[in-house]
Amino acid sequence: MAETLRAVSASETISISKKEWGAHVESAIALIQQNQHEQALAEMLEAERLAPNERDVRYWLANAHRMTGGTERALEIFRELLSARPDDVEVSFAAAFLLREAGRPAEAGRVLLEASEQAGLSTHQLLQITGFLRDSNQHAAAIEVLEKVMQLSPGETDLQFKLGRLYQATGQFDRALESLRKTLDTDPSTGPAWTLLAQQKRFESTDDPDYTRMLDAASKSLGSEADMCLRFALGKALDDLQQWSPAWEKYREGNELMARTSPWDQRAWDTFVERSIESSGQALAAAPATGRKAVFVVGMPRSGTTLLEQMLDRHPNISGRGELGFLANFAGQTTTWGRIDESHRAEMANILWTQMRLEGREDGAYIDKNPLNFRFLGILFELLPTAKVLHVTRDGRDSCLSCFFQLFEQTTDTAFSYALDHLVAFYAGYRRLMAHWEQVYPQNVHRVRYEDLVDSPESVLADALRFLDVEWHDAVTSSGESGQVVRTASVWQARQPVYKRSVGRWRHYADQAPDFFARIAEIDASFDH
């Protein structure tokens, strides 16, 4: 959808011939942009009749086939073009986008890796390839290309930072630290590098060179973003060092600065929750049941969703796909368009399943662990009536505290976390909405308590697997890493052995915000009685 529009927007840079076939190409491009895909294909078939070997004709013919569902024919044409001109980066991107849409990201990655080997590519083109590979979870390939870019542009601060993020996502924390330190050596005003640095390790002494470096940087003014990020970074270090009161103060300051640039509308949230409950109902009886094992792990952010996904991902028949955005996208479309008709429902369901399964087996189980998908379970069960939801719950005082201590990357969806009153309001709405979903879809939703998961993982995972109709496998309780890329705020914690020190963490800060913790406890009590 969005990728489709990006792929075809290259029309703006293509010079169309004034020959007779050129008029058909121009017409087809206009029709594609108007979503009149069948008519566009007809125009391109006529252009092909007139000029079957012209590159532009072949390129737009492939795009027209792509828009009308002719994936394999489009790929065939793209491959023919690349065989003739391997350095045609535009064609490489078009083929890669199509492959990713078709749930074949590994193939898409190979196409762009081959493109990156061509001589004469600009730094901008290589960075575009890196971004595509990263967004397709092809992180090893993204690192390979980015390291090549850095050879062309040594000393670029932004490139070092990007490399550090890729190393972090793949669990290469030592290499991530090295890149982040180089970033800050060159430009200490790179604010996000400070918070990322603090997240790569556990601070055990005030003599830690990274800690003293942060203190020194915080004594200066490095710009508004860096000053804010440094407060979150120092809060993390002080929390590790068990200096609770100073840690709280740094986090409070950081959140106050962040709230100025990330407003949150409590009234809009309350309205959303109310309307979601009023408009929801059982999934349509006419919606076909399938054998698709689509699993969604939801809950309050920072409640343990990443930990659960990582443990389940070790199972040979389960694959975690990280935090996908397709459900939120579809929910936005239903808000714009109204009720989904049968054809669009089937199309959305197929897209959702394709992007969860990717190249995996049709009978495997696949996890989308975007915790905020709890907002859209009504549309989920309308699209996939047999989907299973694992709802991770945690003492709200711990999860809300952890949100307050986290500088999220996606600020639009998490702007509630930068003020205590907003956290209370969001948490109340989350508990109310999930109580509703559990009542309406009791066969589709299974609770997993974080505290039980870390205390008795075998028992909790056995229950979860039974709910998912997946046989037990000892791998889920093994101590080894799943090998999955982690791109969430929990990336460092998710790669550590399971520990219990986060249970009851709020008690260290009880004196800092007693009213806040009391209000959260009241909300939990009202739903857990």
Side-chain angles (χ1 to χ4, degrees):
M1 294 188 176
E3 294 174 350
T4 294
L5 294 176
R6 285 199 297 272
V8 299
S9 66
S11 61
E12 297 173 359
T13 63
I14 289 183
S15 175
I16 302 298
S17 169
K18 298 302 181 183
K19 297 178 182 178
E20 185 178 356
W21 58 263
H24 291 288
V25 173
E26 289 180 335
S27 176
I29 292 172
L31 288 166
I32 287 174
Q33 293 174 336
Q34 295 165 21
N35 290 323
Q36 298 182 44
H37 300 146
E38 294 292 343
Q39 297 94 319
L41 179 58
E43 289 283 353
M44 288 313 307
L45 289 172
E46 180 60 19
E48 182 189 32
R49 186 185 67 79
L50 296 170
N53 297 319
E54 285 288 341
R55 182 269 185 196
D56 288 352
V57 171
R58 306 296 290 163
Y59 176 80
W60 288 104
L61 176 62
N63 272 298
H65 278 299
R66 172 187 180 185
M67 301 303 181
T68 53
T71 299
E72 293 307 318
R73 178 60 181 140
L75 284 173
E76 181 182 359
I77 297 172
F78 285 142
R79 287 175 179 135
E80 290 171 358
L81 289 170
L82 289 173
S83 178
R85 280 195 52 193
D87 62 343
D88 195 331
V89 179
E90 184 176 39
V91 174
S92 294
F93 267 108
F97 273 115
L98 177 54
L99 286 164
R100 188 163 73 179
E101 286 173 4
R104 294 150 67 178
E107 285 185 66
R110 287 193 291 272
V111 168
L112 287 184
L113 268 181
E114 290 176 8
S116 73
E117 298 294 333
Q118 302 303 311
L121 265 64
S122 67
T123 297
H124 176 69
Q125 288 173 319
L126 288 169
L127 285 175
Q128 285 183 310
I129 292 173
T130 300
F132 180 97
L133 294 169
R134 177 203 62 216
D135 293 342
S136 303
N137 280 336
Q138 304 291 307
H139 282 67
I143 289 172
E144 181 181 336
V145 177
L146 186 55
E147 288 176 339
K148 184 183 303 182
V149 177
M150 293 185 65
Q151 293 176 4
L152 299 174
S153 303
E156 285 282 344
T157 303
D158 187 52
L159 299 182
Q160 278 287 357
F161 178 64
K162 291 178 188 295
L163 189 60
R165 292 177 66 87
L166 289 171
Y167 285 144
Q168 180 203 37
T170 54
Q172 302 179 67
F173 297 119
D174 288 341
R175 300 185 76 177
L177 283 168
E178 181 183 357
S179 289
L180 292 170
R181 288 166 181 151
K182 288 180 180 179
T183 298
L184 294 168
D185 285 342
T186 306
D187 184 5
S189 69
T190 309
W194 291 109
T195 50
L196 209 60
L197 177 72
Q199 291 168 4
Q200 304 308 298
K201 57 190 290 185
R202 184 167 181 80
F203 293 84
E204 297 179 347
S205 167
T206 55
D207 294 327
D208 185 304
D210 288 322
Y211 176 68
T212 56
R213 180 179 195 167
M214 287 191 295
L215 285 175
D216 179 64
S219 68
K220 310 165 187 175
S221 181
L222 298 174
S224 58
E225 182 184 46
D227 292 348
M228 180 267 296
C229 289
L230 272 164
R231 283 168 169 80
F232 277 92
L234 281 169
K236 160 65 167 61
L238 290 164
D239 180 75
D240 286 348
L241 295 168
Q242 301 183 15
Q243 297 186 24
W244 317 121
S245 182
W248 179 268
E249 186 61 20
K250 291 300 179 186
Y251 278 126
R252 184 193 62 77
E253 293 172 359
N255 277 289
E256 284 185 359
L257 292 173
M258 192 64 191
R260 296 174 189 173
T261 60
S262 303
W264 186 67
D265 189 338
Q266 179 177 336
R267 180 175 296 180
W269 170 243
D270 291 341
T271 300
F272 171 83
V273 172
E274 192 69 37
R275 289 180 177 172
S276 296
I277 292 172
E278 289 176 354
S279 62
S280 67
Q282 290 286 357
L284 299 182
T290 69
R292 296 170 171 176
K293 291 184 178 179
V295 181
F296 293 78
V297 177
V298 304
M300 183 72 180
R302 311 295 294 166
S303 62
T305 54
T306 300
L307 174 63
L308 178 61
E309 183 208 27
Q310 288 280 293
M311 298 174 87
L312 291 174
D313 183 68
R314 298 184 182 120
H315 194 292
N317 296 330
I318 299 177
S319 297
R321 300 306 191 200
E323 296 185 4
L324 305 179
F326 293 96
L327 196 57
N329 180 271
F330 293 154
Q333 292 181 29
T334 60
T335 300
T336 302
W337 300 342
R339 194 72 179 177
I340 312 172
D341 61 34
E342 187 62 39
S343 62
H344 281 101
R345 185 184 304 115
E347 180 185 4
M348 289 177 174
N350 286 333
I351 290 172
L352 194 56
W353 176 246
T354 296
Q355 295 302 322
M356 292 182 73
R357 184 174 70 86
L358 300 179
E359 290 109 333
R361 294 162 30 191
E362 183 68 29
D363 62 348
Y366 304 97
I367 302 174
D368 176 350
K369 66 122 297 196
N370 188 331
L372 292 172
N373 276 337
F374 77 81
R375 299 170 296 178
F376 311 121
L377 297 192
I379 180 68
L380 169 62
F381 293 128
E382 188 171 341
L383 298 178
L384 298 174
T386 58
K388 295 296 183 70
V389 171
L390 294 172
H391 174 207
V392 182
T393 65
R394 182 183 181 187
D395 186 323
R397 293 167 293 189
D398 280 333
S399 58
C400 289
L401 176 71
S402 189
C403 285
F404 191 63
F405 284 3
Q406 180 64 46
L407 183 57
F408 291 99
E409 290 183 34
Q410 302 297 331
T411 57
T412 302
D413 280 345
T414 54
F416 63 84
S417 67
Y418 303 119
L420 296 181
D421 286 344
H422 290 168
L423 262 168
V424 171
F426 184 85
Y427 188 72
Y430 146 71
R431 289 303 309 259
R432 184 182 174 205
L433 198 49
M434 278 309 307
H436 172 74
W437 299 135
E438 289 173 338
Q439 181 180 23
V440 176
Y441 303 104
Q443 304 304 314
N444 297 76
V445 183
H446 174 76
R447 276 202 196 188
V448 174
R449 289 187 70 249
Y450 171 80
E451 291 82 2
D452 293 340
L453 181 63
V454 297
D455 186 61
S456 306
E458 184 170 337
S459 173
V460 172
L461 292 169
D463 287 344
L465 290 173
R466 277 192 293 271
F467 170 72
L468 300 178
D469 195 24
V470 175
E471 292 186 359
W472 172 263
H473 197 287
D474 289 342
V476 296
T477 54
S478 67
S479 57
E481 292 186 11
S482 71
Q484 181 193 4
V485 168
V486 182
R487 294 179 61 189
T488 72
S490 308
V491 56
W492 187 80
Q493 295 98 318
R495 295 188 183 275
Q496 310 308 309
V498 176
Y499 57 82
K500 303 177 185 178
R501 63 173 175 265
S502 290
V503 175
R505 182 188 182 197
W506 69 272
R507 298 180 189 281
H508 301 308
Y509 297 95
D511 293 339
Q512 306 299 326
D515 180 64
F516 167 69
F517 292 118
R519 292 165 69 192
I520 295 293
E522 288 175 7
I523 294 169
D524 277 343
S526 68
F527 286 100
D528 293 334
H529 61 275

